[in-house]
Amino acid sequence: MIEPLENSNNLFILRSASPRRKQILEDLGLRFLVVPTNVDESEKESERPLQYLERMVHLKLQSDNYKESTSIACDTIVVYENQILHKPQDKKDAIRILKILSGKKHQVHSGAALSKPGKLADFFYDTTEIQFRIWNQDEIEHYVESAKPFDKAGSYGIQDKNSPVENWTGSYINVIGFPLRGFLQRIDDWKSFLKV
């Protein structure tokens, strides 16, 4: 975590506890503060996946003491047959989700919104299509036991050792949890926070 700057107007806030998102911003050379936000992640009836994604991102921005700062909130969803596969509740649930995805294609959507003082939050997202390899019960159980993917949408990480991902179309960084291409297109909103 980067130490707070003296003036809150000079802060760039990451509204996420994800170590992967933190690493991406560090790799880009930003000065920032990590301020996670807890929100109710329940889906609404008849809510489409991308509607849910945008609502989650905006909810994470609606908080507390940093309204005069520039903030980014992010969320990632795994979607199979138009259904969101959330983070697993436990080991049994992780195995269930991975059995559903075995040998099949699904989509990963990562969304984000940049909020600046006096400016409406700008939502953007990216989509990557994932092809899972076919694997058996023992392989799935071994992966869950070793990778412990309980903080990951869809119960897996593309970057994990023995990841179930066979191939993908689109952005790798998007699957990790950050719509990098859209963020880079908005460089004017955050370039002042780059380390000199």
Side-chain angles (χ1 to χ4, degrees):
M1 183 186 305
I2 306 302
E3 289 300 316
L5 304 178
E6 291 183 6
N7 186 337
S8 66
N9 291 331
N10 292 329
L11 283 173
F12 187 85
I13 309 292
L14 172 61
R15 310 300 312 218
S16 171
S18 164
R20 296 166 290 278
R21 294 182 184 123
K22 179 177 180 285
Q23 186 63 56
I24 290 166
L25 293 189
E26 288 176 349
D27 290 345
L28 288 171
L30 271 77
R31 298 170 294 122
F32 64 98
L33 182 67
V34 176
V35 184
T37 308
N38 293 317
V39 299
D40 180 359
E41 298 186 356
S42 303
E43 290 181 60
K44 293 183 177 180
E45 189 175 350
S46 302
E47 189 172 37
R48 295 192 298 274
L50 289 177
Q51 288 177 319
Y52 170 86
L53 180 63
E54 183 170 3
R55 183 171 62 84
M56 287 298 103
V57 167
H58 284 298
L59 274 178
K60 292 178 181 182
L61 285 177
Q62 294 172 4
S63 59
D64 57 51
N65 303 320
Y66 295 94
K67 296 189 183 298
E68 297 306 312
S69 303
T70 299
S71 297
I72 186 166
C74 308
D75 198 27
T76 299
I77 57 173
V78 169
V79 179
Y80 174 67
E81 294 187 344
N82 210 37
Q83 299 294 314
I84 299 173
L85 299 176
H86 293 281
K87 296 173 185 176
Q89 297 176 2
D90 51 30
K91 180 178 177 179
K92 182 178 179 182
D93 195 36
I95 291 169
R96 177 190 67 83
I97 292 169
L98 293 172
K99 287 175 72 173
I100 289 172
L101 295 175
S102 177
K104 300 184 180 74
K105 289 183 179 179
H106 64 272
Q107 294 76 43
V108 176
H109 306 288
S110 282
L114 272 167
S115 175
K116 298 187 72 174
K119 182 179 177 182
L120 292 175
D122 175 24
F123 175 76
F124 54 97
Y125 73 95
D126 202 351
T127 300
T128 304
E129 186 168 83
I130 300 289
Q131 174 68 57
F132 258 30
R133 60 188 177 90
I134 299 172
W135 57 352
N136 61 37
Q137 180 81 14
D138 288 344
E139 290 173 311
I140 291 173
E141 290 183 5
H142 179 265
Y143 170 76
V144 171
E145 189 63 39
S146 60
K148 302 190 185 314
F150 305 116
D151 67 334
K152 299 182 176 95
S155 304
Y156 75 93
I158 192 172
Q159 74 277 16
D160 290 343
K161 183 179 179 180
N162 298 322
S163 166
V165 176
E166 186 171 84
N167 55 62
W168 67 89
T169 303
S171 166
Y172 175 91
I173 299 296
N174 184 61
V175 184
I176 290 177
F178 194 79
L180 182 61
R181 291 185 288 197
F183 187 66
L184 293 176
Q185 290 169 0
R186 291 158 176 82
I187 189 171
D188 287 343
D189 289 330
W190 53 264
K191 64 183 179 182
S192 63
F193 300 99
L194 290 168
K195 296 175 185 176
V196 178

